[in-house]
Amino acid sequence: MDRKEFLKTCGLACVGGLGISALLQSCATSQYFAGNELTGSHLKVLQTEFTLNKKGQPVNRSYVLVKSEKLNFPIYLYKLSETEYSALWMECTHQGAELSAHGDYLTCPSHGSEFDRLGNVTQGPAQNNLRKFKTSIENQFILIHLS
Ligand code: FES
């Protein structure tokens, strides 16, 4: 490979790398983090966080991610019905990596474990289900009980 060919190959590799990086960033920002309030031992999330206004039309979200600076991992909050929610700690039970949410399932970027919306392992190497939190409804809020 001559110098010109080498530079051309490197340039294409850089452009490809930038493209992949931009794609990954857009995936990361497509996840919606709900506003929340940490009060004592529970997080409060407005039920309206599950409704998105798209061009004047209400569109439902199936899940939101709940983050707090006091927590090491986000919580995946999935709407099962108007009164039932699944709240899962997004730490992989294999070696502790942060999981990624994809609609009604979660995956681990480290070694490929997968979990369903209820936190059950559907693919290893993880062997244990995810940590779950109880939820309840209070007025217009969903309460995630952390203890
Ligand atoms: S840390 Fe998640 S599969 Fe290994």
Side-chain angles (χ1 to χ4, degrees), residues 92 94-97 108 110-113 125:
C92 183
H94 179 231
Q95 289 181 358
C108 180
S110 292
H111 312 105
S113 288

Side-chain angles (χ1 to χ4, degrees), residues 9-147:
T9 304
C10 286
L12 286 174
C14 283
V15 169
L18 288 173
I20 288 169
S21 170
L23 181 65
L24 289 175
Q25 278 188 337
S26 73
C27 286
T29 56
S30 70
Q31 299 208 331
Y32 176 74
F33 288 92
N36 67 85
E37 184 185 318
L38 182 60
T39 312
S41 62
H42 58 259
L43 279 164
K44 284 170 93 172
V45 177
L46 272 169
Q47 285 183 296
T48 54
E49 296 281 5
F50 283 85
T51 307
L52 176 68
N53 193 339
K54 245 185 183 174
K55 297 178 185 170
Q57 295 294 316
V59 176
N60 292 328
R61 288 188 171 97
S62 57
Y63 73 94
V64 298
L65 303 180
V66 185
K67 225 177 188 177
S68 167
E69 59 194 32
K70 294 184 179 166
L71 301 176
N72 295 334
F73 289 89
I75 293 174
Y76 166 87
L77 187 62
Y78 188 92
K79 186 176 185 176
L80 299 166
S81 71
E82 287 303 319
T83 56
E84 290 180 306
Y85 293 84
S86 170
L88 306 173
W89 186 242
M90 292 179 71
E91 179 180 15
C92 183
T93 55
H94 179 231
Q95 289 181 358
E98 185 170 320
L99 300 172
S100 301
H102 311 276
D104 63 355
Y105 69 101
L106 301 112
T107 61
C108 180
S110 292
H111 312 105
S113 288
E114 290 187 17
F115 304 87
D116 66 17
R117 65 188 176 178
L118 301 177
N120 301 313
V121 178
T122 54
Q123 181 176 305
Q127 296 187 339
N128 297 316
N129 296 335
L130 296 179
R131 181 176 172 198
K132 300 172 193 174
F133 300 100
K134 285 186 181 164
T135 61
S136 60
I137 307 293
E138 185 183 279
N139 300 321
Q140 74 274 35
F141 289 97
I142 304 151
L143 271 56
I144 303 172
H145 301 269
L146 299 175
S147 54

